[in-house]
Amino acid sequence: MQTTDINEDLSIAPININIHKILELLPHRYPILLVDRVISLIPEKSITALKNVSINEPFFCGHFPGKPIMPGVLILESLAQTAALLTFGREMKRPENRFYYFVGIDNARFKRPVEPGDQLILNVEIERYIKGIWKFKAHAKVDGKIVCQADLMCTVKDS
């Protein structure tokens, strides 16, 4: 019996996406674009992306002076943007006049602060897609440790 290594089948090999492609796919721009690169994407299954957290981020001026930490809501937003990238499937093309909306969050937990110099590794898996609503399991890690986890929901709408 012959076995096939998953990496031999190019149709299911992980896909890498650079910032230029992310800018084509997501409508977000500075300062709210919170995904720098996709490390691995397995269409219709999972995605791993990264966000480099720099002291130059505008939110660090006020959150908090003397002890800068990334706001939890922005960690969740980075996970939601990563989830949106996963919804493009194999085509990796954004249809005109179509937008992805963050519609729900459950079970959000924050385990430790994210500081300047950290690199967020964003992991999202599709849990299900029913009647236009995507549900995802998501977590963000820094140095291999979970800093945030949540169940996310989004929908796709024509504008």
Side-chain angles (χ1 to χ4, degrees), residues 88-119:
F88 290 105
R90 295 185 191 286
E91 298 79 36
M92 283 290 115
K93 187 172 183 182
R94 181 172 164 235
E96 252 185 80
N97 300 319
R98 186 162 277 189
F99 289 90
Y100 296 77
Y101 295 99
F102 190 20
V103 297
I105 184 165
D106 292 316
N107 305 313
R109 297 288 179 267
F110 300 95
K111 306 293 186 178
R112 79 166 195 77
V114 174
E115 300 174 321
D118 286 344
Q119 187 175 66

Side-chain angles (χ1 to χ4, degrees), residues 21 23-27 84-101 134 155-159:
K21 185 66 174 179
L23 288 167
E24 284 178 31
L25 296 171
L26 295 179
L85 290 166
L86 181 54
T87 66
F88 290 105
R90 295 185 191 286
E91 298 79 36
M92 283 290 115
K93 187 172 183 182
R94 181 172 164 235
E96 252 185 80
N97 300 319
R98 186 162 277 189
F99 289 90
Y100 296 77
Y101 295 99
W134 296 84
T155 191
V156 181
K157 299 282 184 185
D158 293 326
S159 64

